[in-house]
Amino acid sequence: MSTHASDPLAALGSLPGVADSVDSVRKAVDRVYGHRVMRRRSNEITSEAALRGARGSAALSGADWALEEVRRRTDFGGDTEARTVGAALRLSAEAGQLLSIWRQSPLRVLARLHLVAVGDTADLGDSVGRPRQVGEAVGEPLIEAPLPDPAEVAGRLDGLSELIIAGGTAPALVTAAVVHGELLALRPFTSYNGLIARAAERIVLIGSGLDPKSICPAEVGHAEQGRAAYVAAFEGYLSGTPEGMAAWIAHCGRAVELGVRESTAVCEALQRGAA
């Protein structure tokens, strides 16, 4: 069994309150996976969760569109909000395709996520798909914390990658929350860092086996809790204190539970024949 010294993510799992969050999330996920609709129509639930997750992630990045508008639109190459929604939809569709690569090379996956987010609607030159360099600006709504310099970004990305490749005993929720928080803190790319951080959280939750069918969109829950609560919880992550880290993990856990609630409602609607 790994020690906390060699498995720092596992150490976070022992923080006060974190075990309760992990247990609550596990029970919530188990309940929706046990829904009778999941036995027959899980692909529909997965597709709807991807759409709703993308809408939630885009809302946190400043494009708070109604779900039906996201569902209806086909052109996302217009203004900044449209490009943000388009990027979120592409990332949501791509996340489940990158699981095997994530376990071997998380940095390759992050580069791919940036390429997917940018798509063909923006001319960002050679900044696409690689960490930002000295002097490059970062366009990131919502998160106003100081930016680490590129050298620090590179070192911390390497450290995060090593932790993911090594695996360990940490619960999926803890790993997902740390990946999410670290990418928000680093903002390693010139654009779409928030969307990418939330997509990476989704990849961890799927790949860990907690949510293998990707039906528990945490992005929905992050959006439902509101931008102010999201930023406040993230400041806890940035503080690095045990209390702050535990609060961020709990916030991410609540987001998953709200995502479960969303997909449970979809299951109920399908069962009634209303969707």
Side-chain angles (χ1 to χ4, degrees):
M1 183 167 62
S2 297
T3 65
H4 287 173
S6 61
D7 191 354
L9 295 180
L12 296 176
S14 65
L15 291 175
V18 171
D20 290 340
S21 293
V22 169
D23 185 55
S24 182
V25 166
R26 176 77 266 176
K27 289 177 179 176
V29 172
D30 286 347
R31 282 195 299 272
V32 72
Y33 270 83
H35 197 286
R36 60 189 300 179
V37 169
M38 281 296 296
R39 293 196 294 270
R40 297 176 288 110
R41 306 177 72 173
S42 64
N43 288 342
E44 293 173 70
I45 309 302
T46 297
S47 296
E48 191 65 19
L51 181 73
R52 294 177 185 227
R55 193 218 73 81
S57 192
L60 285 171
S61 287
D64 192 0
W65 289 14
L67 179 63
E68 292 310 313
E69 177 68 6
V70 177
R71 195 190 306 279
R72 180 187 67 82
R73 283 282 287 268
T74 57
D75 176 15
F76 298 98
D79 59 18
T80 299
E81 285 196 9
R83 290 196 297 272
T84 297
V85 174
L89 286 167
R90 290 190 297 273
L91 287 170
S92 192
E94 186 80 3
Q97 312 302 314
L98 299 171
L99 301 178
S100 61
I101 304 172
W102 176 260
R103 298 183 188 102
Q104 300 169 1
S105 181
L107 299 186
R108 279 180 59 200
V109 169
L110 294 175
R112 172 65 183 167
L113 291 176
H114 191 231
L115 285 166
V116 167
V118 171
D120 58 5
T121 61
D123 181 13
L124 297 180
D126 68 354
S127 70
V128 179
R130 62 151 174 79
R132 56 187 168 82
Q133 298 175 355
V134 175
E136 290 182 329
V138 174
E140 185 54 49
L142 189 59
I143 303 302
E144 298 179 351
L147 277 170
D149 64 48
E152 182 180 349
V153 169
R156 286 171 64 175
L157 282 177
D158 284 342
L160 184 64
S161 177
E162 289 169 6
L163 283 175
I164 293 164
I165 292 168
T169 61
L173 172 64
V174 172
T175 303
V178 169
V179 167
H180 183 171
E182 191 68 357
L183 292 174
L184 275 186
L186 297 178
R187 280 149 288 160
F189 301 105
T190 56
S191 58
Y192 298 123
N193 289 288
L195 296 180
I196 289 167
R198 293 183 287 275
E201 178 185 49
R202 173 182 283 254
I203 288 171
V204 174
L205 294 172
I206 300 168
S208 67
L210 178 66
D211 181 22
K213 294 183 183 293
S214 191
I215 61 166
C216 307
E219 306 96 321
V220 168
H222 287 303
E224 188 169 332
Q225 292 178 90
R227 300 176 90 197
Y230 184 74
V231 171
F234 172 61
E235 287 173 353
Y237 179 86
L238 283 179
S239 75
T241 65
E243 297 80 9
M245 295 295 289
W248 170 248
I249 294 166
H251 184 88
C252 291
R254 180 60 179 155
V256 176
E257 292 185 62
L258 291 169
V260 166
R261 188 175 73 178
E262 187 88 353
S263 287
T264 301
V266 173
C267 287
E268 295 293 337
L270 287 172
Q271 186 167 284
R272 293 192 306 268

